[in-house]
Amino acid sequence: LNRSHEIKSKKPLGLLCYFTIVAMAHCIALTGGPCGGKSSALAEIRKVMKEEGVDVYMVPEVPTVIMQGGGVYPGVDGGEKLIAFETAIIELQLQMEKSFMTLAKASGKPSLLICDRGLLDIAAYLPRDAWLKILEANSLTEEQLLGRYDGVLHLVTAADGAEKFYKHGHVKDDSGNDVYRAETPEQARDLDNKVLECWSAHTKVGRIANLDADGFKGKLGRACAFVKEVREQPPVDRSGSSGWFCSVM
């Protein structure tokens, strides 16, 4: 590291992770409804940012990690099992975000974290009272979670504005992976709106719609333009209560 990126204070890595490094590291939550083009957007953002000399770190979609590992969603009426399930997702996402941010800051290079869905996405899939109980059980607030992200990139479902491209049932996503998408177009539009509403209190939300004028290529271009716009602002202060660098049990 050159002196402009020197680690000013450091405690040994372990249960405590405390870094104060002069480095530009932004974090964006990538979200939206089903079949919005997240995989393609992730690839395009990585390519464009690399061309600008920015390292990109991608935090995978945590509910998918949990369920592929054997976790079973207990349903919205799952009571304590639901709280335990969503707490597992929250804990893993907090840790993964902190781990990637530690790497980004330690690199001393301009960096960008893209989170394949952020923590507020959970609320879109739950009744409001269940979500508030989960927050209380984890001693968290929505304000704390919102404060973790420099921006929110919302890719509108293809079911809204590009319905002929919307795929549901057993299909391949835009990366060629086999997926099962249960939502009908109407359900996809409803879920898209719920996700957007969950992030509505954030000060920097980019809603990337499906427009006939520029098509999917234009959608990706507008997504990248929003990311560049976010990076023009100083990163949020992550030294406070949002828990970026803290003890990990």
Side-chain angles (χ1 to χ4, degrees):
L1 297 175
N2 61 37
R3 294 198 64 82
S4 65
H5 295 130
E6 183 179 354
I7 298 176
K8 291 186 175 180
S9 64
K10 175 179 176 182
K11 294 183 180 180
L13 278 172
L15 293 184
L16 278 179
C17 304
Y18 261 102
F19 285 83
T20 306
I21 303 176
V22 182
M24 291 288 283
H26 293 80
C27 182
I28 293 177
L30 177 60
T31 185
C35 195
K38 288 195 291 121
S39 298
S40 295
L42 281 168
E44 185 69 11
I45 290 167
R46 169 172 272 176
K47 180 176 75 72
V48 170
M49 289 294 101
K50 184 177 180 180
E51 291 170 354
E52 297 193 359
V54 178
D55 287 351
V56 178
Y57 299 84
M58 297 185 177
V59 180
E61 188 176 64
V62 173
T64 299
V65 173
I66 291 286
M67 288 188 281
Q68 286 181 345
V72 178
Y73 181 61
V76 295
D77 298 322
E80 293 300 315
K81 290 182 179 180
L82 176 64
I83 292 176
F85 182 87
E86 300 296 356
T87 293
I89 290 176
I90 289 170
E91 289 177 343
L92 181 55
Q93 177 125 10
L94 287 170
Q95 181 58 66
M96 292 182 74
E97 289 180 7
K98 287 186 285 187
S99 295
F100 279 105
M101 183 59 75
T102 295
L103 294 175
K105 284 185 166 289
S107 75
K109 301 176 183 178
S111 300
L112 173 68
L113 267 69
I114 300 286
C115 300
D116 189 348
R117 300 203 175 276
L119 285 157
L120 266 295
D121 276 65
I122 299 171
Y125 297 85
L126 297 170
R128 180 67 179 171
D129 59 340
W131 169 238
L132 293 177
K133 287 179 181 178
I134 290 163
L135 287 178
E136 183 180 7
N138 288 276
S139 301
L140 292 169
T141 66
E142 289 186 335
E143 289 74 20
Q144 285 177 308
L145 301 185
L146 288 167
R148 299 177 64 80
Y149 306 98
D150 296 281
V152 180
L153 178 56
H154 181 101
L155 300 177
V156 174
T157 174
D160 183 356
E163 188 169 337
K164 65 181 180 180
F165 298 108
Y166 183 74
K167 300 172 289 185
H168 68 287
H170 290 283
V171 299
K172 291 187 181 295
D173 64 16
D174 52 5
S175 294
N177 300 312
D178 292 320
V179 297
Y180 179 74
R181 187 173 290 124
E183 297 87 1
T184 65
E186 183 178 358
Q187 291 170 332
R189 289 188 290 270
D190 181 59
L191 180 56
D192 191 282
N193 290 329
K194 287 180 179 178
V195 172
L196 186 62
E197 176 61 26
C198 290
W199 291 99
S200 61
H202 199 282
T203 58
K204 194 73 172 177
V205 178
R207 181 181 182 272
I208 312 300
N210 301 293
L211 304 178
D212 290 336
D214 59 3
F216 188 62
K217 183 177 180 181
K219 184 178 186 179
L220 297 182
R222 285 181 277 119
C224 290
F226 175 77
V227 171
K228 291 180 181 180
E229 185 179 323
V230 171
R231 290 200 65 257
E232 290 173 356
Q233 306 298 320
V236 299
D237 180 9
R238 297 189 169 91
S239 61
S241 59
S242 56
W244 275 94
F245 299 105
C246 62
S247 59
V248 180
M249 298 306 292

